Amino acid sequence: MSHWPEHILTEVGRHLEAAYPFEGCGVLLREEGTGRLRIRPLRNAAGNPRVAYAFAPEEWLAVCIEADARSERVVCVFHSHVDAPATFSQEDLLRAAPEGRPLLPNVSYLIGSVHRGCVHYVSEYEWRAGNFVSRAS
């Protein structure tokens, strides 16, 4: 399960449900100093958004510029699995750590299982001992 506040999970869930029948995606940002969290939904730019997600390069650049201007950092990437379990898939691994190392160190991955337009389960994964493992583990 996730350690994020309920209001953040609710916002993430709304975005993931609105994206159905495609995978929704985005990031959570944390403000330095205050610790305030902000959700930043992103458009899924994957070639096949029913089974994968990808951030459009121009949107990712905008997130980085925004985060810098607001003294924030990305602390979590979130996305959904459409009519599938909220498990860290091989596709997720290839996108998050294509060469066996995480592209975004110290960033967790929140995955929502969305069935028929409703989030049924959310799980979170973090990089530990050379692999992404469930945060509950």
Side-chain angles (χ1 to χ4, degrees):
M1 281 310 272
S2 172
H3 71 287
W4 301 107
E6 193 61 37
H7 74 278
I8 293 293
L9 292 176
T10 298
E11 282 186 65
V12 167
R14 280 191 203 118
H15 176 67
L16 299 180
E17 290 173 351
Y20 187 87
F22 303 111
E23 289 194 10
C25 58
V27 295
L28 299 180
L29 300 116
R30 175 167 293 163
E31 187 177 323
E32 301 296 333
T34 67
R36 188 174 308 135
L37 292 168
R38 179 170 70 98
I39 178 177
R40 177 61 158 81
L42 293 167
R43 177 178 53 90
N44 185 347
N48 187 353
R50 281 190 59 78
V51 296
Y53 77 97
F55 300 150
E58 64 277 6
E59 274 195 284
W60 180 246
L61 178 60
V63 166
C64 294
I65 291 169
E66 279 176 28
D68 188 51
R70 297 170 68 133
S71 297
E72 296 172 327
R73 68 181 185 89
V74 174
V75 291
C76 182
V77 171
F78 65 85
H79 74 281
S80 55
H81 285 178
V82 176
D83 299 320
T87 55
F88 208 83
S89 69
Q90 188 63 30
E91 178 73 21
D92 295 335
L93 179 60
L94 290 173
R95 290 187 182 278
E99 296 180 6
R101 291 184 313 272
L103 291 175
L104 300 170
N106 303 314
V107 170
S108 65
Y109 286 77
L110 194 64
I111 302 170
S113 176
V114 181
H115 291 268
R116 296 183 179 160
C118 296
V119 173
H120 284 265
Y121 190 79
V122 174
S123 57
E124 187 169 16
Y125 294 83
E126 63 186 358
W127 185 260
R128 219 182 313 146
N131 198 8
F132 283 98
V133 295
S134 172
R135 191 157 209 164
S137 299

